[in-house]
Amino acid sequence: MKKILILIFFTFFLIPQIGQSTIKKEDSAPDFSLITIDGKIVNLYQFNGKVIIIEFLSTKCFACDYIIPDINRLYEKFNGEAVQIIGVLFNNEIENPEKLREFKKHRGIKYPVFISDSKTKKLYNIFGFPNFFILNDKKKIVQIYRGITNDMFGLLNKETEKLLRR
């Protein structure tokens, strides 16, 4: 059984990353296109002068569903401030804005969610969900979280407060 678990780990987590460039803290965040719930196209870099929290999530991710209340709280706390929280789903799961709207409503998501393509998934080395990238107001990656903790609100709140210099 132990050998099977090790084989699964290597197959799904390490082998796909061989040959991939690794995005890391202090890198400039790569820009990418997003489709809004209204079908408009925007780019990450259009969120100027703001701390940005990007949540890469999946429709099939139970952990993503589990932390939606934490991210909603974070969004409510910083709404109207120099902070932008965005959820990003990929077009292999959500193919159009109407499906995105349904997903957002069904899950009770209060923060903006967008659709992006698989190029973004490769660009940010997304192989599991959720993934959080925290960018400063200059679009530099200051923190990366892959997976969840039992207090995502506290963790993301602390990083955001630090960037806002409170």
Side-chain angles (χ1 to χ4, degrees):
M1 182 65 172
K2 190 175 183 181
K3 289 180 182 179
I4 292 172
L5 291 174
I6 291 170
L7 180 62
I8 289 170
F9 176 78
F10 278 101
T11 302
F12 290 105
F13 295 102
L14 295 182
I15 292 174
Q17 295 183 37
I18 294 173
Q20 297 277 335
S21 63
T22 303
I23 194 167
K24 59 191 178 309
K25 287 170 54 172
E26 302 303 320
D27 287 349
S28 290
D31 196 12
F32 59 94
S33 295
L34 300 156
I35 300 172
T36 70
I37 209 160
D38 298 320
K40 296 177 183 155
I41 297 176
V42 297
N43 286 17
L44 178 66
Y45 278 23
Q46 286 180 251
F47 301 109
N48 289 323
K50 292 185 174 194
V51 170
I52 302 172
I53 300 171
I54 308 169
E55 176 194 18
F56 291 104
L57 65 157
S58 169
T59 60
K60 301 170 187 142
C61 171
F62 296 114
C64 299
D65 291 344
Y66 177 76
I67 59 166
I68 287 171
D70 282 353
I71 310 308
N72 281 341
R73 273 181 53 210
L74 202 66
Y75 176 71
E76 289 169 347
K77 176 178 180 177
F78 293 110
N79 194 18
E81 295 191 42
V83 177
Q84 182 68 53
I85 298 172
I86 63 171
V88 178
L89 291 126
F90 295 103
N91 61 358
N92 62 330
E93 292 186 317
I94 300 281
E95 59 277 347
N96 62 57
E98 185 55 40
K99 296 283 186 192
L100 182 64
R101 186 177 287 109
E102 290 172 18
F103 175 81
K104 183 176 177 177
K105 182 179 178 184
H106 179 72
R107 297 297 204 288
I109 296 173
K110 296 178 182 176
Y111 49 97
V113 291
F114 301 89
I115 302 170
S116 193
D117 63 25
S118 59
K119 292 177 195 168
T120 304
K121 191 185 271 191
K122 289 178 184 174
L123 203 57
Y124 280 81
N125 297 320
I126 307 298
F127 295 100
F129 298 96
N131 284 260
F132 293 90
F133 287 76
I134 302 175
L135 316 180
N136 68 14
D137 59 352
K138 306 282 189 262
K139 310 295 184 288
K140 186 168 280 206
I141 299 169
V142 295
Q143 194 56 262
I144 301 171
Y145 296 109
R146 299 189 187 274
I148 65 169
T149 69
N150 62 352
D151 184 17
M152 284 309 295
F153 173 82
L155 190 64
L156 296 171
N157 181 62
K158 180 181 172 185
E159 290 293 332
T160 305
E161 293 278 354
K162 190 172 17 172
L163 288 170
L164 294 174
R165 293 168 183 82
R166 292 187 179 175

